[in-house]
Structures are given as structure tokens and as C-alpha cells.
Amino acid sequence: MSRLLLLCRSNKSPWVCLTCSSVHCGRYVNGHAKKHYEDAQIPMSNHKKTEKQEKVQHTVCMDCSSYSTYCYRCDDFVVNDTKLGLVQKVREHLQNLENSAFTSDRHRKRKLLENSSLNSKLLKVNGSTTALCATGLRNLGNTCFMNAILQSLSNIQQFCCYFKELPAVELRNGKTAGRRTYHTRSQGDNNVSLVEEFRKTLCALWQGSQTAFSPESLFYVVWKIMPNFRGYQQQDAHEFMRYLLDHLHLELQGGFNGVSRSVILQENSSLTASSKCCINGASTVVTAIFGGILQNEVNCLICGTESRKFDPFLDLSLDIPSQFRNKRTKNQENGPMCTLRDCLRSFTDLEELDETELYMCHKCKKKQKSTKKFWIQKLPKVLCLHLKRFHWTAYLRNKVDTYVEFPLRGLDMKCYLLEPENSGPESCLYDLAAVVVHHGSGVGSGHYTAYAAHEGRWFHFNDSTVTLTDEETVVKAKAYILFYVERQAKSGSDKL
């Protein structure tokens, strides 16, 4: 590859074809790279392909930013190399182009583009011009599920600040220090820390020093400790969030380099003992902020025996009631609007268990019909609500595309509490901090973006692109995950 043929005017998400060296934009920009692949298949359709030709007609392209490779024929990312190591040679060639003294014109154009991008990120606040310092996250190959969760968590102030204030831990040895590495699943280094890479990623956001940050080191650690997320196929954002929080919790419990992070938590005066909810051992910042407690009541319908159980939670998964499942847009007129209150009521209402969920009654000494009801015994500082938009049918997993109306501020959780009389007037009110949205028809496809509030302004995070938006746009989103923060000060906002 002696030179690259830039055939697309867009500078976003450039992909180079490893067959002809032409450069096109990715599928989430204008889709020119995919069109290039489709155009290349047309001549082959005019005559019969041999079995040998069928095997070799794989159009592979490479992301010029992260150097990951993708095959359009297989519709998947490629992690292996050729016997001659040709893919790695292309990566090295692209890296050399980046650092070459002969690419000064390219650097000049990039500088102009960055300045243009910076100018477009200037807005007027109270008559003065302020720079938008939000940083996007590069897509490393269907990693939008991870980017949406990271951007949401980075805008939960208390949670984010805790990690950003942790002392840095250097894990790289002398050979790799300062070098940009390309991680693959075959690397054998087990000396990794999810807490450290998560901290580095949060520190890189909202600094304003770059328009997009590549979370490849964090993704490498995710591959190492979360086998379910290896590869580049689309994943479920909620499932990733749960795995991420659980592993952060476990690592913080176990300490890092001999120093327990739980000690740091105990020294943090803003997280009092009463706010802690222990899940799998000692409390950490994860359980102190996201942890709540549910009371599960089960009543035998034959003898009336009542069983109570307390369960800790980090998030609540809410069904969208079946009567609303045909309501797809906010302005659609067929029937009433589904609201977040409807989903919460469905979660906490008394429910009779069906034949497949018979309760083992200790008094009757056999499985009996019963009723179940949830109460919230303790609310968390950050209430994470997951709307169950994906469900299994006989053959596949479908998406519930119903629009659910949700409040930006003043979500009142008092009526769902076990003992509401023991709660203060403001302790049950929550304001929205972030929303994760899934675009598309299925969990294994589509695209994730996030909306989040930062210093009183709302932003839309779409991988490496960050744009300023407004409340009217946010409330129209078909939410998948909602992050509500407990209100601290009194406000005249309306309640849900």
C-alpha cells in the first residue's frame, strides 16, 4: 500500500479498503465503505462463481483510527492476521503515516478541521462565548453499547468524581511505557485493572483537549475479565452496565496493589454509613450510590402464610405493560400514553404467580398458588431504571418499541416505599441525569446513543460525535435505561 485514495469528503470514521486502498466513511456517517463493498460485488453477479472464487471474495477494511479490521461479507470484525502478517503491516504503515514528517499538509488540514470543530462547539451563555468541552468516545467496532454507558456514568457527578480522585496506578512495564499498543485477544498479560482503566477513561472526558477519546485500553480489560463481551458483535447495553458495575464493585472490595479502596470509601464523608447497601460483601462506591433494597412479599393463597425477603439491587428492570405496546410515538393517538409511572406501578402491584412459578409453602409443605408484591425498602442515591424492551418469542428476541413518557425532574418515588412516613419531603424526589437509547429493531443489531445533563445543559453522545441538544428533544427519546439522581436541594419542580 504505497498511497491511500481518499474518495469520501467526510473526515468522520474513515475506513480503508485493504483490497484497493480507497478510503470511505463508516456506516454511521454516510455508509460509503459499505456501498464500496456492494458495488464491488456487482461484476461478480453477471457470471457464475466457482467455489474457489466464492471463498476468496472477502472485502476487508480497516478503521484508520483504531486499526480494527472488518469483513463486510462475514459481517463481523476480524481478529486474526494472514500468515505473512499483512494486516499488521498495514497498521504499522498507517501509524508511520501519522508520525511521518512528510504528512505536514495532512496535519495542517487536520488542525483546520479541529479548529472548525472547536468553533462549531462555541455557544453563548449569559451573553458570553463558552467552549463546549465534551469529548466523544470512538467506536472500536460495534462498541456503541459501551460508549453510551460510559458517557452516562461520566455525567453522574458523585460517582464520576470518586474514580477521578483515585490515585493513578501505573501498570505498564518499561518496554510498553509511552507506546501505543494494538490489543488483541491473544495477548497474555493478566496484569490489568478495570478500576484503573475506568478511571483513565473518565479523566479523559470533559477535559476539552480532544474531540474524541479511544477507550481501547478499557475495552482490552473488558475482554480479559468479561468473556461475554469478547469480539466485536453488538451487545446489550444494560447487560454491559451490570457486568461493569459488578466487576468494579468486586475489584474495589478486593483492593488494588495492596490498598483497599473500601478504606477510601469510608474516608469519603459524603457517602455516609446509612447510604451504603452491601451486595456480595463490603460496601463500595458502587453500592453506596446505586444500591437500594427491595422487600419481596409472597403470600400463599391456600393457607395465607406470608414470606418476606429483602433483596439488594443496583437497578430496577421494569416491564412495559402489554396494553401500551402498540403506542410507538409520543403523538400517536391510538389509546392512552404509557408513562414511567405505569411501568413502576406494574413492577410494584400485587401479582398472582402463574402455574410455572408456584411458591413452595413451608406450612403446606408443597408448592401452592401465591401472590407476590415488591416494596422499595431503601432508595438509592442514583436510581437506575431499565425498561425491558427486548423479550423472547418462540424463535427470536423481539423489541418493544413503545414510547414511554418520563419526567426530566421531580420523579416522586414515595408511593413505592415500604415506609413512606419515615422519608423526608425531598428524599424521594429524583431528577434525570442521563438516558441510554437503542435505535433499531433487535438487541443484536442497531445502535446505542446517550443523552446526559452536564452543568445545566443537555448533550447527545453518539460515539465520537457530541452535540448540544435541548430538553424537548430528550423527552421525545425512546428510553432504554434512565439514570435519576436524588434531589439534594428544594425546588419548585412539578412531581410525576
Side-chain angles (χ1 to χ4, degrees), residues 95 102 134-135 154 297 411:
Q95 287 177 324
F102 295 103
T135 300
S154 74
E297 293 181 358
L411 171 64

Side-chain angles (χ1 to χ4, degrees), residues 319-327 338 342-343 346 400 402:
D319 281 306
I320 297 174
S322 57
Q323 67 265 31
F324 298 110
R325 293 193 177 177
N326 292 326
K327 184 87 172 177
C338 180
D342 293 316
C343 299
S346 175
V400 180
T402 303

Side-chain angles (χ1 to χ4, degrees), residues 279-388:
I279 297 175
N280 298 327
S283 176
T284 67
V285 68
V286 176
T287 53
I289 290 181
F290 289 95
I293 299 175
L294 282 176
Q295 177 177 293
N296 184 1
E297 293 181 358
V298 179
N299 287 276
C300 176
L301 291 177
I302 306 301
C303 69
T305 299
E306 183 181 89
S307 173
R308 295 181 180 179
K309 181 182 178 183
F310 291 94
D311 296 313
F313 68 88
L314 294 179
D315 70 304
L316 298 178
S317 291
L318 311 178
D319 281 306
I320 297 174
S322 57
Q323 67 265 31
F324 298 110
R325 293 193 177 177
N326 292 326
K327 184 87 172 177
R328 298 199 170 193
T329 64
K330 184 173 182 179
N331 300 321
Q332 196 170 334
E333 296 180 358
N334 57 334
M337 175 75 65
C338 180
T339 67
L340 192 57
R341 179 187 284 273
D342 293 316
C343 299
L344 286 165
R345 189 186 296 116
S346 175
F347 179 78
T348 56
D349 275 353
L350 188 68
E351 172 191 5
E352 183 173 338
L353 300 178
D354 59 32
E355 295 291 335
T356 61
E357 299 178 291
L358 292 179
Y359 163 66
M360 182 64 190
C361 179
H362 297 291
K363 187 174 181 179
C364 299
K365 299 188 184 301
K366 64 178 182 178
K367 291 185 176 181
Q368 301 281 27
K369 286 188 175 183
S370 58
T371 60
K372 179 181 70 173
K373 179 173 176 60
F374 284 119
W375 293 97
I376 299 177
Q377 198 267 342
K378 175 192 167 294
L379 284 166
K381 287 185 174 294
V382 174
L383 179 64
C384 179
L385 301 176
H386 161 236
L387 299 181
K388 295 163 73 172

